[in-house]
Amino acid sequence: MSNKPLLRVRKTGALLVAAVIAFVGTVPLAGAGWEWTPVLLLPTAAFVWAWRAGTDVYADELRVKALVGSTRVPWQRISELAPDPSGQVSALLDNGNMIRLTGVTKANLPRVLAAGKQEITNPE
């Protein structure tokens, strides 16, 4: 497997902007006293999550990243990719487990499949 993904799918950049605005908004509160400084951790964690969370597509696997850690899912283990009513895509694995593909939506699913060189067998 190469180190660089063929495609990176992330959530919208608006989440990054919202996290920065939240951080700026909490600075005056944190400046009120040292006991309030931990409140800065919440927008910082939101920023890191928005920056990191997503799905990376490789030729042989998908890598689903969260705030901390990631899950590797080989293409061979994926039985089905299906969107839910909100448009978010989940992968049904060969053992019956399901994993939500962060950032992958019904709209960008064809790009994910094309990058992974996977065929669409049932487009419904």
Side-chain angles (χ1 to χ4, degrees):
M1 178 186 78
S2 99
N3 292 337
K4 187 174 180 186
L6 301 170
L7 176 68
R8 288 182 175 207
V9 182
R10 298 291 183 260
K11 291 191 169 278
T12 177
L15 292 174
L16 292 171
V17 174
V20 169
I21 291 170
F23 184 84
V24 170
T26 57
V27 168
L29 181 61
W34 66 269
E35 62 274 2
W36 290 101
T37 55
V39 79
L40 293 172
L41 294 175
L42 294 173
T44 302
F47 181 85
V48 172
W49 173 78
W51 181 270
R52 180 173 156 65
T55 301
D56 293 344
V57 181
Y58 294 88
D60 56 346
E61 70 181 10
L62 293 175
R63 190 175 299 169
V64 183
K65 294 182 173 186
L67 176 62
V68 178
S70 64
T71 302
R72 293 175 155 183
V73 182
W75 282 109
Q76 304 91 300
R77 292 206 48 221
I78 298 174
S79 301
E80 179 180 337
L81 293 174
D84 63 16
S86 68
Q88 297 295 316
V89 175
S90 296
L92 177 63
L93 305 180
D94 57 2
N95 62 2
N97 291 338
M98 189 169 270
I99 184 168
R100 178 162 290 196
L101 303 180
T102 307
V104 179
T105 63
K106 187 176 182 178
N108 61 19
L109 181 57
R111 287 183 41 223
V112 169
L113 293 171
K117 297 184 178 29
Q118 302 299 310
E119 294 182 20
I120 299 174
T121 55
N122 186 1
E124 312 221 356

